[in-house]
């Protein structure tokens, strides 16, 4: 209980500090800022496509959307000069209910950005499987650095197990392979694991994942463009 309380305080502090910093920066700088970089956040599935379904009836598409919106919000607070675009911001999709068209639409939107991250939940027949993992192109060093940084942050919060970074040479993924920018597919946990599914629906865990992801992306952008 003490560990959970400590984590809650940390996340609250993170949100307060980033929000306070954002407000202060707007007191002394113009509201209009030059865009340093654009990040495309892609909540997996959506609309007609529920994605994987937990034993309690939870849809992957709903968790992915909640976490994605939190990531976008946190990045904007950490650095308002980073533009955020989404493939979707609700359960309404802007493309035909067809898997091929779905994937193409996400790639088309992603091409307008400098960085792309797609948020998903994993699933397995074994309900004991747990942990998070990443998929990137083999030669994508920028995405690899971001994934490693996300893992480092998640480890500090004792969130689940790190199942590593996988190459799309082993498992091809259209939304990653078809983009010529740093691109990540992030499986944040196993929806088929009842305990992990419950965690991923919680406000606290969603904020931990969102903060870890946002901080890693912002830090990498600062390294490149500073």
């Amino acid at each position: 209980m003490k560990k959970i309380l400590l984590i809650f305080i940390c996340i609250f502090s993170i949100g307060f500090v980033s929000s306070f910093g954002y407000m202060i920066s707007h007191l002394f700088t113009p509201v209009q800022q030059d865009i340093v970089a654009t990040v495309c956040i892609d909540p997996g599935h959506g609309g007609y496509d529920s994605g994987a379904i937990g034993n309690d009836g939870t849809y992957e598409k709903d968790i992915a959307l909640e976490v994605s919106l939190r990531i976008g919000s946190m990045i904007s607070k950490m650095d308002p000069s980073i533009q955020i675009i989404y493939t979707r911001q609700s359960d309404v999709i802007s493309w035909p209910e067809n898997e091929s068209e779905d994937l193409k639409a996400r790639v088309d939107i992603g091409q307008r950005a400098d960085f792309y991250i797609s948020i998903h939940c994993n699933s397995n027949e074994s309900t004991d499987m747990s942990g998070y993992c990443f998929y990137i192109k083999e030669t994508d060093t920028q995405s690899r650095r971001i994934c490693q940084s996300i893992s480092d942050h998640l480890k500090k919060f004792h969130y689940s197990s790190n199942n590593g970074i996988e190459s799309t040479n082993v498992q091809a993924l259209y939304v990653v392979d078809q983009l010529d920018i740093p691109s990540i597919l992030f499986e944040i946990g196993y929806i088929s694991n009842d305990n992990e599914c419950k965690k991923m629906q919680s406000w606290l865990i969603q904020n931990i994942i969102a903060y870890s992801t946002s901080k890693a992306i912002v830090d990498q952008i600062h390294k490149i463009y500073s």
Side-chain angles (χ1 to χ4, degrees):
M1 181 61 71
K2 288 183 179 179
K3 183 183 290 185
I4 295 296
L5 181 59
L6 180 61
I7 292 174
F8 177 83
I9 292 170
C10 289
I11 292 295
F12 177 81
S13 299
I14 289 163
F16 175 79
V17 169
S18 60
S19 298
F20 182 74
Y22 177 72
M23 290 186 293
I24 291 297
S25 68
H26 276 64
L27 291 176
F28 299 99
T29 58
V31 174
Q32 282 283 57
Q33 297 194 32
D34 292 335
I35 301 301
V36 170
T38 300
V39 176
C40 177
I41 303 174
D42 174 28
H45 309 282
Y48 74 101
D49 180 7
S50 67
I53 304 174
N55 292 324
D56 62 355
T58 300
Y59 290 159
E60 175 185 359
K61 66 176 182 178
D62 295 332
I63 294 177
L65 180 61
E66 285 292 329
V67 172
S68 294
L69 294 176
R70 291 177 192 270
I71 292 171
S73 176
M74 287 190 185
I75 290 175
S76 295
K77 289 176 181 176
M78 291 176 187
D79 187 344
S81 70
I82 299 174
Q83 182 181 44
I84 303 298
I85 61 175
Y86 299 92
T87 56
R88 65 183 181 96
Q89 290 181 265
S90 69
D91 196 32
V92 177
I93 57 173
S94 60
W95 48 80
E97 295 185 358
N98 173 280
E99 183 178 0
S100 177
E101 293 298 323
D102 184 313
L103 295 173
K104 288 178 182 177
R106 294 174 197 269
V107 169
D108 287 344
I109 297 169
Q111 293 286 18
R112 308 200 312 251
D114 301 294
F115 296 84
Y116 171 92
I117 185 163
S118 186
I119 303 299
H120 287 259
C121 302
N122 222 331
S123 183
N124 193 279
E125 289 183 1
S126 171
T127 58
D128 293 330
M129 289 289 289
S130 64
Y132 58 90
C133 68
F134 310 91
Y135 292 90
I136 63 171
K137 295 184 287 290
E138 182 67 32
T139 57
D140 186 353
T141 56
Q142 289 192 44
S143 288
R144 187 172 296 276
R145 291 191 190 103
I146 291 171
C147 294
Q148 289 170 340
S149 180
I150 293 172
S151 299
D152 290 343
H153 288 298
L154 290 176
K155 185 177 181 180
K156 293 174 184 176
F157 290 111
H158 305 286
Y159 171 67
S160 198
S161 56
N162 178 9
N163 294 334
I165 303 171
E166 299 289 340
S167 166
T168 55
N169 287 351
V170 177
Q171 181 175 335
L173 291 169
Y174 188 91
V175 292
V176 173
D177 291 327
Q178 294 300 311
L179 285 165
D180 54 7
I181 57 174
S183 308
I184 300 167
L185 190 143
F186 182 11
E187 300 272 14
I188 64 174
Y190 277 83
I191 200 170
S192 50
N193 180 307
D194 291 347
N195 184 46
E196 199 149 84
C197 179
K198 186 176 180 180
K199 285 183 178 179
M200 290 189 294
Q201 294 177 69
S202 75
W203 175 90
L204 178 59
I205 295 301
Q206 288 183 0
N207 274 280
I208 287 173
I209 295 170
Y211 169 76
S212 300
T213 305
S214 304
K215 188 69 167 62
I217 292 172
V218 170
D219 286 350
Q220 180 63 16
I221 290 174
H222 288 173
K223 287 178 184 177
I224 296 169
Y225 296 101
S226 61

